[in-house]
Each structure stands twice: as structure tokens, then as C-alpha cells.
Amino acid sequence: ESEQNIAQAFSEAEKKGAILVLDEVDSFLQDRSEAERSWEISQVNEMLTQMENFEGIFIATTNFMTNLDKASIRRFDMKVEFKPLDSAKFIKAFGLYARHLGISDYVAFLESSFAKRAIEKLNNICFGDFALIARSARFEPITSSQQLLEKLQEESRLKDSHIIEKWGFRGLFCSDLKFFLVNILR
């Protein structure tokens, strides 16, 4: 039923004039040359057909760009890669999320030599890491800049321990996209 569900999602989005966002699109657009079953091929074919004919705005996210079927790549008008934040963007994101979390000591903290040295070492932190930490703060509140930095350091170590490439990820969760566009890109 995947093909029917894909067609229905595109049809419904077009009827409503909605933006269609598919997170982890690699599960629908895997390289057909790697397919082992016929339904894997027909699912990708359906996605490609729907993408080609869709009149609305379609946003797809993936961490596995190299796993996408080659024919899908040319159907995207824009491809945006979200790389780890440089120091300036890291500091800006830190301030935005500190305010969002109700942390008031972040200005002085970011000016400290301790924070500056620690931030220089965090070369694999992406905007999504901040969003993840903010979501988890609903369960375990973060009350200081030091705690926020420690959570970011934990995320950095996790990435390194799993030998994840330091390019970040190639998309954002839908709920974070507006926050990112409004606060980081302006």
C-alpha cells in the first residue's frame, strides 16, 4: 500500500495548498540499483512520478544523501546541506536557545575564556543538536549555561564515539525549520 499512501499524501497536499515535508526521505527514495524486491522499485518509481508532477512545495530531509536514487536528485530544485556550526553561528544558536530555555547567565558565560575554549573544541555541533537538547529539557530542565554546554559536549562525544561524519545532517525536523529560518538565517 506504500505507493497508494505516497500518491495520497501528494494529492492531499496539492488539494490543500500545503507544504509537503517528508523526513528521512531515503526510506522512500533508496537507490533502485540496490533493490532486492520489486515493491522497492515500484515505491521509488511512485515517489519519482509524484515529485515530478507535484505543483506545490515539497521538502525532503535525509542524513543519507548518497543512498538516494540518482533520478531523485535531479527532481529537487534546491539541495541544502546543513553543516556543523562555525563559532559565530554556534554562539548565536547558544544565545537563542539559552533565551528559549529561560537561561539568563548566557551573555557573561559566552564571554568567559572557559566557554570560548570549550566552544572551539565543539566542531561537530549542528543546529539540530540544540533543538534536540531543547526538546529533552522538557523532561530534565536546563537551568544554566554550563549545563547547556555540558549537554552539547555530550552530543559531540556521542557523535565521535559512533564515528559519525562531521558534516551534520541534511535537513531539519519540520518543527525546527521555522525557528531556524527565522532566527539563524536572518
Side-chain angles (χ1 to χ4, degrees):
E1 295 180 13
S2 292
E3 293 88 352
Q4 293 166 340
N5 291 335
I6 290 167
Q8 183 179 354
F10 277 91
S11 175
E12 190 174 322
E14 193 157 344
K15 284 178 191 169
K16 293 182 177 183
I19 296 173
L20 180 58
V21 178
L22 289 183
D23 189 27
E24 307 298 346
V25 76
D26 47 278
S27 63
F28 297 107
L29 289 173
Q30 66 273 13
D31 189 343
R32 289 173 288 182
S33 67
E34 304 288 321
E36 295 177 10
R37 296 171 207 89
S38 63
W39 65 265
E40 293 172 317
I41 295 170
S42 61
Q43 177 179 285
V44 174
N45 289 342
E46 182 64 33
M47 273 294 295
L48 294 172
T49 300
Q50 293 298 326
M51 290 170 64
E52 189 74 28
N53 296 318
F54 188 59
E55 295 292 324
I57 298 172
F58 173 54
I59 299 172
T61 68
T62 183
N63 289 321
F64 301 103
M65 186 88 163
T66 57
N67 294 352
L68 296 180
D69 192 88
K70 305 304 179 245
S72 70
I73 302 299
R74 65 178 174 270
R75 285 175 169 81
F76 289 104
D77 296 329
M78 290 180 23
K79 295 141 198 98
V80 179
E81 181 176 8
F82 294 95
K83 294 184 178 189
L85 301 172
D86 62 27
S87 293
K89 287 199 175 22
F90 180 99
I91 290 167
K92 189 171 183 178
F94 193 99
L96 288 167
Y97 273 97
R99 286 192 302 275
H100 174 73
L101 294 168
I103 298 170
S104 58
D105 69 341
Y106 71 92
V107 173
F109 181 78
L110 288 172
E111 291 175 358
S112 72
S113 58
F114 168 79
K116 288 177 182 175
R117 283 191 309 274
I119 290 168
E120 285 176 18
K121 295 177 185 174
L122 296 176
N123 62 354
N124 63 349
I125 295 296
C126 300
F127 191 77
D129 296 315
F130 282 97
L132 167 70
I133 290 166
R135 287 191 307 271
S136 68
R138 296 178 296 194
F139 306 104
E140 184 183 344
I142 299 171
T143 58
S144 71
S145 292
Q146 179 65 39
Q147 281 183 299
L148 179 55
L149 178 64
E150 288 169 2
K151 295 284 186 188
L152 291 163
Q153 289 170 325
E154 286 174 27
E155 287 303 312
S156 177
R157 280 191 298 276
L158 249 172
K159 288 179 181 183
D160 285 343
S161 70
H162 288 94
I163 312 171
I164 294 174
E165 290 182 56
K166 297 187 184 227
W167 48 259
F169 59 93
R170 299 175 193 273
L172 293 174
F173 291 107
C174 184
S175 61
D176 301 327
L177 186 58
K178 181 178 177 188
F179 188 88
F180 177 79
L181 293 172
V182 169
N183 293 298
I184 296 296
L185 290 180
R186 66 176 155 164

